Amino acid sequence: MGTTPYNPGMHILIANDDGYLAPGLTALVRACAGLGEIEVVAPEQNASGTSNALTLNRPLSVFEARAEHGCRVRVVNGTPSDCVHVALTGLLEHKPDLVLSGINNGANMGDDTLYSGTVAAATEGFLFGIPAIAFSQVLKGWGDLDAAAAAARSVVDQVLASARQGPYLLNVNIPNRADAANLPRVVTRLGRRHASSPVIRQVNPRGEAIYWIGPAGDAREAGEGTDFHATANGKVSITPLQVDMTDHARGADWAHALERSVSA
Ligand code: MN
């Protein structure tokens, strides 16, 4: 399938969580060239793992950065959600038709999606009623990044060609392979990870205890149909996400246990 023809009426906002200088962001912007009007609003610093946090205890500053790709880049000294929130509510002249996030330096699968700033930036667009897609490379280190960017562009083209009514929120994880753009793609559900490794306790130079959060655990639920299974088998994983965290399956049981009418 071909690439989507340039549409001057199409506005695309691109953000990330690794910071405005991250190679994954530049690669994604370059790969989307020709799709429409692209604006980039990204965090000043690496904000991985900040989830959906908004900065409420101080004002945010925005400065414009130079970029070789020619798209306008604005930098926010805040979180990924701050970037998209400020972009949508104050910076951008046009409401975007699409919000893209990434490409992240490392996987966002299973429980990672709850902590991920990459997914959060896309989620912020989704919460404003805009179709949004988050992209991550499975392994850290930017190996085969250009191939991942080509895969991301191909997914965007396919999504746009499908002419789905928004909003929707897709979480895409791309194996680090030179043939990433030509790999099979599967729609998956989130797997589960084992609990993170124990916190690492150290002593700082002043003799006080400090604690490092340990690395994420290995996949625990990685069966057929999960994002972990797909990427482990050389496929691009596409998980449709939703924000409603209601446990619908247990609602009736909890109602039985907890509900009561006020009686005299
Ligand atoms: Mn990141």
Side-chain angles (χ1 to χ4, degrees):
M1 85 160 256
T3 54
T4 310
Y6 176 72
N7 177 357
M10 170 105 168
H11 292 89
I12 301 167
L13 170 63
I14 303 184
N16 77 342
D17 81 348
D18 294 326
Y20 76 104
L21 295 172
L25 177 67
T26 305
L28 181 59
V29 173
R30 284 215 171 100
C32 289
L35 265 180
E37 294 297 320
I38 296 173
E39 297 218 54
V40 180
V41 182
E44 183 175 20
Q45 299 192 335
N46 190 322
S48 297
T50 53
S51 192
N52 300 86
L54 288 175
T55 300
L56 303 178
N57 60 350
R58 60 173 174 83
L60 296 164
S61 300
V62 180
F63 67 87
E64 200 146 332
R66 264 177 214 280
E68 285 170 25
H69 49 62
C71 297
R72 191 171 187 192
V73 177
R74 276 172 287 186
V75 182
V76 179
N77 63 343
T79 66
S81 294
D82 287 334
C83 291
V84 174
H85 192 95
V86 170
L88 297 180
T89 58
L91 285 182
L92 301 183
E93 225 169 284
H94 300 273
K95 181 178 174 178
D97 304 289
L98 186 63
V99 174
L100 304 179
S101 178
I103 299 170
N104 189 57
N105 185 20
N108 279 308
M109 301 191 287
D111 310 338
D112 304 341
T113 50
L114 280 176
Y115 300 97
S116 166
T118 305
V119 173
T123 302
E124 192 69 13
F126 175 71
L127 289 172
F128 276 84
I130 302 167
I133 311 175
F135 293 101
S136 304
Q137 277 196 295
V138 170
L139 300 178
K140 286 182 190 279
W142 309 118
D144 294 307
L145 177 59
D146 287 342
R153 170 61 189 262
S154 180
V155 168
V156 170
D157 285 333
Q158 213 180 352
V159 168
L160 293 176
S162 78
R164 288 288 178 281
Q165 293 302 305
Y168 46 77
L169 176 61
L170 300 177
N171 182 41
V172 181
N173 282 276
I174 304 167
N176 298 57
R177 288 173 47 151
D179 59 351
N182 299 316
L183 292 175
R185 293 177 197 144
V186 283
V187 172
T188 55
R189 62 187 153 83
L190 298 179
R192 294 293 312 277
R193 281 195 190 276
H194 281 283
S196 172
S197 329
V199 75
I200 296 150
R201 186 182 188 276
Q202 295 178 333
V203 177
N204 78 6
R206 286 164 292 286
E208 299 150 348
I210 55 170
Y211 299 88
W212 286 98
I213 300 287
D218 295 329
R220 175 177 56 175
E221 212 282 84
E224 183 118 32
T226 64
D227 42 9
F228 291 114
H229 187 273
T231 55
N233 288 279
K235 297 171 185 171
V236 173
S237 166
I238 304 174
T239 312
L241 299 180
Q242 61 184 5
V243 171
D244 179 4
M245 294 176 78
T246 308
D247 187 350
H248 292 282
R250 294 167 95 175
D253 185 44
W254 278 116
H256 182 71
L258 301 177
E259 282 184 2
R260 63 176 187 181
S261 308
V262 176
S263 51

